[in-house]
Amino acid sequence: MKFASEIQNELLSAKSYRSFLRVFFNSSGGQRPLTYGEFAQRAGFKSRTFMNDVILGRKRLTPLSIEQVKVGLRLTGAWADYLHCLVAMDEPKFQTSSRDQKYYLERLKKKKLALQARSKQKNGGTDDAIAKILLQPNFPEMFAALGTFDAGADFETILSRTKFEKTVAISLLGKLIEAEIVELKNGRYYATEDSLQLEMLGSSEYLRADFFRSVDKAKRRFEKQAAAQKSLFMNQTFLVSEKDLRALREQVFELLKDFVASNEQAEGDTIAELTVAFTHHE
């Protein structure tokens, strides 16, 4: 879903998920507003007034209904995650001991930064320029070496994790800071965008080509390492409806992000590279 810049600003300024939904139904991306009847049909709700009741505070969204709402609004990727976090902050049924209101607030901030960064790149016509930076030979290792978003890393730690020459690290960090992918605060480097590469993949020829290079590299590494480290590899084939493939991909991606958010160690000394591919079996 693409929004005009003024609509996006309104959505990202919404103080609650009800306000977010109100803006969405009034604009629908700057085109003809989505009607409650059309939404209900898309989402699979029997009641045509369900969303109006939610917006007015008469009904609440639940962990089950939010998935239907995403389908009805045709929200995917960062926008779907953003709405999910907005809802989870206000609705206790979404919260657990490990995923409390603070957890969702932090995720919401990161999603907002991601959406704002993507909008800035598209409006400024700099997608390819940013993509070229992301395709620097040492970018994946550098990005991983920054550690968690909250912890960041100092320069010496980055060097110890990447084993880069100082001049290489300084040059790449400078480019990433200039591109606003990394920021330097109090002597530590922090990543500012957690899904830039994923969000740009569909619109950038550079990143699309890089994806295929990554797959080929993963295949070569597998051939060399699988026999020696069988426990680290898994190849699974299973049956799934074609219409559910996107949802499967998004759930796997969320699982990976949640694992990294809760298990990545700021003092970690190993950088792991993961390539996941979903393919049709013909």
Side-chain angles (χ1 to χ4, degrees):
M1 173 66 72
K2 296 180 180 179
F3 300 105
S5 58
E6 63 273 13
I7 301 302
Q8 172 165 300
N9 291 337
E10 286 189 58
L11 290 170
L12 294 179
S13 298
K15 301 300 182 182
S16 69
Y17 74 87
R18 300 182 197 277
S19 298
F20 179 98
L21 293 171
R22 184 179 295 108
V23 172
F24 192 99
F25 275 86
N26 287 339
S27 64
S28 193
Q31 302 175 3
R32 180 178 66 82
L34 177 65
T35 68
Y36 294 128
E38 289 171 330
F39 165 79
Q41 186 175 22
R42 284 185 196 171
F45 290 118
K46 294 182 179 179
S47 172
R48 288 173 169 265
T49 63
F50 174 79
M51 186 51 69
N52 187 48
D53 290 337
V54 170
I55 291 174
L56 294 177
R58 297 169 183 162
K59 292 185 178 179
R60 297 176 177 272
L61 291 183
T62 65
L64 177 61
S65 62
I66 183 59
E67 299 305 321
Q68 292 177 265
V69 169
K70 292 175 188 176
V71 173
L73 298 180
R74 293 180 177 170
L75 291 180
T76 59
W79 278 113
D81 292 341
Y82 188 81
L83 175 60
H84 192 106
C85 291
L86 267 180
V87 176
M89 282 183 57
D90 288 348
E91 298 296 347
K93 287 187 177 180
F94 285 76
Q95 300 169 17
T96 65
S97 57
S98 60
R99 296 188 178 187
D100 55 11
Q101 193 176 52
K102 182 179 179 181
Y103 167 86
Y104 285 111
L105 176 60
E106 290 303 312
R107 289 200 62 180
L108 189 70
K109 291 178 180 177
K110 293 176 183 178
K111 293 300 175 185
K112 186 172 184 177
L113 284 173
L115 289 165
Q116 289 174 330
R118 182 174 63 176
S119 175
K120 181 178 180 180
Q121 292 150 16
K122 289 185 175 180
N123 291 336
T126 60
D127 275 7
D128 285 344
I130 298 296
K132 289 179 181 178
I133 293 175
L134 298 188
L135 294 183
Q136 295 284 321
N138 299 315
F139 172 77
E141 291 83 358
M142 177 62 76
F143 196 75
L146 297 173
T148 63
F149 289 92
D150 295 333
D154 59 32
F155 186 70
E156 292 303 320
T157 300
I158 291 173
L159 287 181
S160 68
R161 290 172 176 170
T162 61
K163 308 300 188 292
F164 291 162
E165 295 290 336
K166 283 189 177 181
T167 54
V168 173
I170 291 172
S171 175
L172 184 53
L173 283 169
K175 293 177 181 178
L176 297 180
I177 291 173
E178 184 178 356
E180 298 183 359
I181 297 172
V182 170
E183 61 180 342
L184 176 61
K185 295 187 298 185
N186 301 321
R188 298 183 72 82
Y189 296 86
Y190 298 85
T192 60
E193 168 50 66
D194 63 340
S195 59
L196 185 60
Q197 185 166 355
L198 177 71
E199 295 298 336
M200 292 172 59
L201 184 58
S203 61
S204 171
E205 290 296 333
Y206 289 99
L207 288 178
R208 191 177 293 113
D210 185 57
F211 169 77
F212 291 110
R213 285 196 293 270
S214 296
V215 171
D216 289 337
K217 183 169 65 175
K219 288 180 180 178
R220 292 194 297 271
R221 286 182 175 176
F222 177 82
E223 292 171 355
K224 292 180 180 179
Q225 300 178 21
Q229 303 182 46
K230 292 181 180 179
S231 63
L232 293 180
F233 296 92
M234 179 181 71
N235 187 350
Q236 183 69 48
T237 301
F238 53 91
L239 187 66
V240 63
S241 172
E242 184 172 352
K243 67 181 178 61
D244 293 329
L245 278 176
R246 179 176 292 277
L248 173 63
R249 188 205 68 173
E250 292 175 355
Q251 288 186 36
V252 170
F253 184 60
E254 282 301 315
L255 176 64
L256 293 173
K257 288 193 296 182
D258 287 346
F259 178 84
V260 171
S262 59
N263 291 277
E264 184 175 18
Q265 301 298 314
E267 64 277 9
D269 57 3
T270 298
I271 295 174
E273 182 176 350
L274 174 66
T275 299
V276 179
F278 295 89
T279 60
H280 292 278
H281 185 66
E282 299 178 351

